Every structure is written in C-alpha cells, then in structure tokens.
Amino acid sequence: MRWIRRNLVVIAGLLTLAYMILPNLVVMAFSFNKPKGRFNYSWQEFSLDAWKDPCGVADMCESLSLSLQLAAWATVGAVVLGTMIAFALVRYRFRARGAINSLIFLPMAMPEVVMAASLLTLFLNMGIELGFWTVLIAHIMFCLSFVVTAVKARVMSMDPRLEEAARDLYAGPTQTFLRVTLPIAAPGIAAGALLAFALSFDDFIITNFNAGSTVTFPMFVWGSAQRGTPVQINVIGTAMFALAVLVVVAGQIITNRRKKTATA
Amino acid sequence: MSTSTLTKEETAPPTGEPVLRKPSTRKRLVPYWLLLPGIIWLLVFFALPMVYQASTSVQTGSLEQGFQVTWHFQTYWDAFQEYWPQFVRSLLYAGTATLLCLLLGYPLAYLIAFKAGRWRNLLLVLVIAPFFTSFLIRTLAWKTILADDSLVVDALNALHVLDVTSWIGWTEGDRVLATPMAVVCGLTYNFLPFMILPLYTSLERIDGRLHEAAQDLYASPATTFRKVTFPLSMPGVVSGTLLTFIPASGDYVNAELLGSTDTKMVGNVIQSQFLRVLDYPTAAALSFILMAIVLVMVTVYIRRAGTEDLV
C-alpha cells in the first residue's frame, strides 16, 4: 500500500500511456483478422491475407499516394514560407510586428471547422474548382503557423555572436548563412517540417470541406467507416506506426553516436 | 533574395553620407521581403475567407436562384435558436474532455519530466508515435474497444461505473458506444498529446533545485506540488488546455464515429449544412457564432490565467 502511494505518479502516468497506446494495439491486432462481414470491428480468426495484399482494396493505395504527395508539397511550401517569416520576426525590428504575430497565431486558435468552412465559401464565391490544388492551398495555410512557431523557437535561442564570428573570419553573407545560420537553425526547421508533414497527412476536417471529389487517405478511411472497413486499413495504420517508431529510434541512435564522437 | 541584397550592401564601400543612406533603406526592407509571401498567403487564404464567410452569413436565397447579400442578420438568431443544444453540448463535451486531458496528462508529463531518467526519450516517442497512425483509424479502433460486451465495458460494468454514468445520463444501460461517454472518451484520447507536450515542456524547464529547496523548508510533497511545481507549470497548463479545448469544440469526427444522433456537436451541424443541406448562410452563421464563443472564452481565460500567474 505504501509502495502504491509512493509511486502514485508513476502508476497514473503509465495508465495514461496505456490509454494512449491501446487503440494502436487494437489496430495492430485487427490487421491480422479475417472479418466475416464488411466491418472489421470484431475478432473472427487469425489471417495474414491483408498483409500479403496491402493494396488489394480498390482506390486505397491511390488515396495513400495522393496523401503522401500532398503532404510533401504542403511541407515544402509551409517550410519555405514559414522559415522566412520566422527569421524576419526574430531577427528584425519593424512596424506591424504585433499585427503579424496575431495573424500567425489566429489560425492555431481557430476551430478547424471554421477555417474549413470559410475557405470553402472563398472557393465557391470565386468559382474555383475543388480538388488537389484547393487542398494543397489549405494545407499550406494551416501548416504555416506551426512551422513559424517551431522555427522561431530555435532561431530565438541562437547566439547571434556565432554569425558575427563568421563575419569576422571574412565569411561572406551567403557563406555565413549557408555554413553557420542554416545548420544551427536546421533542427527547428526539421521539427517544423515533420510537424507540417504529419498535420497535412492526417488532416481530415479541412480536406473534407475543400477536396471536392478528390479522395485523400483520411477521406478514404472516413468513407470506409460508412461503407465497410477493409482490413488493409489496419495494415497501413500498423505499418505507419512501426515506420515512425523506427525513424525515431534510428534518429536517436545517430544523435547518440554524434554526441559520443563529439565528446571523445 | 535577401542574401543578394546583402551582398551588394557589403561590397559597396560606405564612402559618404548619400551612399551610406541608400543601403540602409534597402536593409530596412529585408524583413518585409521575407514576410511578404507568407503573409500574403495567410491574408488571401485565411483572412479573406473570413470576410467571404461573413458576407455569406448575411445572404438569403437558394442554391437554384443564387444567394444575394440582403443583410439578413435574422439568420444568426434563427440558427442559434435551432441549434443551441448542439452548442451547449459542444462546449460541455470539449470542456469535459479538456479537464480529463489535464487530469490524465499531468501525471504522465510529470513522470516523463522528473522520474523517467533514461526512459525519458522512449516515453516521449510513445506519446508522439500514435500520431503516425491516422487519427481516423485510431478513432475507429475505439468502436472495437467500447463495443457491447467488450472487456473494457464488462469491466466498467463490474465496477458499477456504468450505473453512475447512466444515472447522470452519460451512458445508456450497459452500453457505452453511441453515448456521450464514448464521444468524450474519443475526444480526450485524440487531444491528449496536445495537452501532454506543452505540459512536459514547461515542467522540464523547472529547476530541480527548487524542489529541494521546498523540501529543505519542510514542505510536504503535496505542498511542494501545490506551491512550487504547479504554479511554475502554468504556461504549459494554459497552452495545453487551449490546444485541447479549441479543436475539440469544433470537432465532428468523434461525435460522428462514436456517438449517435443525440450526441451531435456544432461541428456536425456545420458540416452537414455546408456539405449536405447546402444552406450556406445558416452554415456560415453557425460557424461565426462558434468562432465568437471560442474567441471570447479564450480571451477571458487567458486574462484570468495570466493574473493567477502573477499572484
């Protein structure tokens, strides 16, 4: 009893973690299921069918590749625009800074459905056809603020004296930027890019409003929730989870090695 | 673009006053050039759409005959009168989910920040990794977890939890799926990482020596938490609750997948008015009412949380 009281925080924390991981375990388990009906909600029997044929469902892999392309372009757009804004906000003093800061904060402080609906009214009023391009525009828009915040945090903690030192050592502005500024800002930019990619890839609400008849992966999953969920959806979900864990673990190993070689 | 202007500046030797002044105005323009593309993007695709939505909300007409701006503010009142239960429900569900996220997320953030040691990175990965399985797939998994006669529901039944929740109307009999409890459970689940990460960042910044100092001054662990740790983690609490409450109040995915027709939130109404009923003015008005409510609540909350922070 005393042991429980002393470790109350640890126990509560691990219970929360279990709550967060539980659905992923269910998704994983049900990727090996062989459902009898259209819906993959109850356990029937073990089978590897879905793993052997992950693209066996009509249109699913097409939607997946569309989502990946969209996320890649949205990341490029948001990172370029967002990094420029972040540098301007941290490195320069100018008028309208307050206004610009709130313009960047507002998209994050707005329920997604409000942004989604307002963008739709814009496109409808302008007679723009909904599809890949309207979704891309929307994704860059809502990822932008998150990239700015991530990059800003990093640039703010940068020591400007490092750049001064580079200039003192006769590095030109281009050289200073490419060899000093950019490498130091890189982790912030990478974090922003990763966030943008994940947000865009997983976005449903804004895409739902502005996609027209274009079907991204989240929209495919949404549709299948009404029509019948193929097991392959669980396969993709499990594969993404495993891939993410692998990438993070690999990244961790690389940074650990670098630290060791740096101290050695 | 910025680097090329800088190069010219540096290569031009500042010999006299007029030469010196010219590059300095140029340099002054650098931040504006950096800001221009991104800010234009936000103005055209974030601010301008709000204007269009405002104009749509005061239009009348029909899809066949077209809509005209008639300054018909009545739409706002009609929409609110018809859908106020959904507004109340949205705020109630989102508020409950936010509170649950704080209660569940705080111990985990605390655990990662202070007690995890070498397990810290692993735990952080486990908090972020679920993100990479599409949230719709994970939300659908709750259908299996909360299904009738599932292990979880049986356990809740055995512990008489469902008796209590049925009594306050959050579940029906021994069912959980398609009740408010399922929706709140889904919302809590989906937004937990948005609570944990800011909490973790603000807890991690706290100097461990402050805890030692509190203990040296004979504060019990509970007092240390109440007087030192929690107040210092307030920035995390504020941003975490905002990051949870705002998106949860507009969400319609959880209510649609885990709830029933009796658990519809404002998001569901806006979605169906826009995409199924095609009654754009009503949908725009509802969306603006939601925005106004959220902005007012957030402003009041930030003010109050801010003053508490100072005390």
Side-chain angles (χ1 to χ4, degrees):
Chain A
M1 216 50 214
R2 252 178 90 191
W3 182 85
I4 291 180
R5 267 190 69 181
R6 196 171 299 159
N7 292 295
L8 203 61
V9 177
V10 179
I11 296 166
L14 291 178
L15 280 176
T16 305
L17 200 62
Y19 176 64
M20 293 178 77
I21 302 289
L22 183 65
N24 285 72
L25 298 179
V26 170
V27 171
M28 210 180 285
F30 276 75
S31 72
F32 298 106
N33 189 22
K34 193 174 185 173
K36 287 219 175 83
R38 290 183 300 148
F39 292 96
N40 186 20
Y41 295 141
S42 62
W43 184 259
Q44 303 291 335
E45 63 177 296
F46 183 84
S47 140
L48 282 172
D49 289 356
W51 280 92
K52 280 184 203 144
D53 186 19
C55 282
V57 191
D59 302 331
M60 189 186 74
C61 282
E62 285 77 7
S63 71
L64 193 62
S65 106
L66 183 75
S67 271
L68 289 171
Q69 286 173 40
L70 256 172
W73 286 116
T75 305
V76 171
V79 163
V80 170
L81 300 178
T83 307
M84 286 164 71
I85 295 180
F87 267 95
L89 284 175
V90 178
R91 283 300 166 81
Y92 298 92
R93 295 282 164 273
F94 50 88
R95 261 180 287 162
R97 257 178 117 245
I100 283 167
N101 267 323
S102 26
L103 183 64
I104 285 156
F105 172 72
L106 269 174
M108 293 190 285
M110 195 72 72
E112 243 189 304
V113 72
V114 176
M115 275 195 285
S118 67
L119 253 178
L120 179 62
T121 58
L122 175 84
F123 291 140
L124 286 175
N125 275 298
M126 296 215 152
I128 297 170
E129 205 179 319
L130 299 175
F132 181 87
W133 293 105
T134 49
V135 177
L136 182 60
I137 284 171
H139 282 203
I140 293 178
M141 186 272 287
F142 78 78
C143 290
L144 194 55
S145 305
F146 290 93
V147 174
V148 173
T149 317
V151 178
K152 229 172 95 179
R154 179 74 190 179
V155 179
M156 270 209 280
S157 65
M158 261 168 78
D159 191 341
R161 281 174 299 181
L162 289 169
E163 285 158 305
E164 278 166 35
R167 254 175 262 135
D168 287 347
L169 295 163
Y170 295 105
T174 323
Q175 230 182 341
T176 311
F177 182 77
L178 287 179
R179 308 202 57 170
V180 179
T181 316
L182 208 56
I184 303 178
I189 298 174
L194 198 66
L195 197 62
F197 191 90
L199 286 172
S200 161
F201 185 80
D202 212 17
D203 178 74
F204 173 71
I205 294 182
I206 288 184
T207 314
N208 184 218
F209 273 78
N210 294 293
S213 53
T214 310
V215 180
T216 63
F217 184 64
M219 299 212 14
F220 179 86
V221 178
W222 176 260
S224 75
Q226 265 100 36
R227 283 180 271 108
T229 40
V231 187
Q232 274 83 350
I233 282 182
N234 292 50
V235 173
I236 302 293
T238 311
M240 289 196 300
F241 181 67
L243 196 70
V245 173
L246 259 170
V247 167
V248 177
V249 169
Q252 198 65 46
I253 291 170
I254 291 168
T255 44
N256 276 350
R257 279 221 185 119
R258 268 203 201 139
K259 262 184 208 157
K260 265 180 201 158
T261 48
T263 48
Chain B
M1 189 178 272
S2 61
T3 45
S4 69
T5 50
L6 277 172
T7 325
K8 269 179 209 155
E9 258 167 57
E10 304 249 326
T11 45
T15 40
E17 275 261 323
V19 190
L20 198 86
R21 198 162 279 164
K22 219 178 173 186
S24 78
T25 48
R26 239 190 205 165
K27 198 170 184 178
R28 221 179 290 147
L29 283 176
V30 170
Y32 296 104
W33 285 115
L34 284 172
L35 288 168
L36 202 63
I39 295 305
I40 287 181
W41 201 278
L42 283 180
L43 286 175
V44 175
F45 300 119
F46 176 75
L48 187 64
M50 294 293 166
V51 178
Y52 269 97
Q53 193 167 28
S55 107
T56 304
S57 70
V58 288
Q59 289 175 349
T60 45
S62 65
L63 201 62
E64 292 81 33
Q65 290 153 5
F67 292 97
Q68 269 91 40
V69 178
T70 49
W71 302 105
H72 192 262
F73 283 104
Q74 185 70 29
T75 313
Y76 278 87
W77 180 240
D78 293 344
F80 187 74
Q81 266 205 321
E82 189 166 354
Y83 296 109
W84 68 265
Q86 279 88 340
F87 274 107
V88 173
R89 219 177 273 149
S90 291
L91 299 177
L92 190 66
Y93 290 179
T96 315
T98 307
L99 203 64
L100 283 172
C101 277
L102 186 62
L103 290 175
L104 291 172
Y106 208 104
L108 184 54
Y110 191 93
L111 170 70
I112 300 174
F114 296 125
K115 306 225 160 186
R118 62 200 182 88
W119 298 101
R120 179 189 270 197
N121 281 325
L122 177 75
L123 290 178
L124 273 177
V125 169
L126 286 176
V127 169
I128 301 166
F131 259 117
F132 288 85
T133 303
S134 172
F135 86 101
L136 284 169
I137 302 183
R138 287 181 283 124
T139 309
L140 284 173
W142 280 104
K143 274 195 142 157
T144 306
I145 301 169
L146 297 178
D148 304 346
D149 298 325
S150 70
L151 284 175
V152 173
V153 174
D154 283 346
L156 290 176
N157 224 346
L159 292 167
H160 296 287
V161 174
L162 294 187
D163 296 342
V164 181
T165 50
S166 293
W167 184 69
I168 58 168
W170 283 67
T171 52
E172 281 158 36
D174 45 10
R175 296 202 70 193
V176 175
L177 209 59
T179 65
M181 186 157 132
V183 178
V184 171
C185 172
L187 285 171
T188 310
Y189 167 76
N190 268 315
F191 296 107
L192 248 176
F194 297 95
M195 177 67 85
I196 291 173
L197 292 176
L199 278 178
Y200 164 73
T201 347
S202 68
L203 283 171
E204 192 219 30
R205 281 199 200 121
I206 297 175
D207 192 335
R209 283 172 298 182
L210 289 172
H211 291 155
E212 285 163 30
Q215 272 156 35
D216 288 348
L217 295 165
Y218 297 105
S220 67
T223 317
T224 310
F225 178 78
R226 202 161 42 83
K227 296 248 169 171
V228 180
T229 317
F230 191 75
L232 285 173
S233 70
M234 266 317 270
V237 174
V238 172
S239 54
T241 42
L242 289 179
L243 281 173
T244 314
F245 180 78
I246 297 171
S249 65
D251 181 84
Y252 57 83
V253 174
N254 287 285
E256 180 82 35
L257 295 181
L258 302 173
S260 68
T261 42
D262 298 329
T263 60
K264 291 261 186 275
M265 296 165 71
V266 180
N268 301 76
V269 182
I270 297 175
Q271 194 248 12
S272 82
Q273 291 288 326
F274 251 118
L275 303 177
R276 277 183 230 153
V277 187
L278 304 178
D279 181 355
Y280 300 130
T282 302
L286 283 168
S287 156
F288 260 113
I289 298 172
L290 174 66
M291 187 176 92
I293 293 175
V294 168
L295 283 181
V296 168
M297 287 181 76
V298 165
T299 320
V300 171
Y301 174 69
I302 289 180
R303 286 252 167 88
R304 293 206 54 186
T307 47
E308 265 171 36
D309 211 2
L310 292 171
V311 171

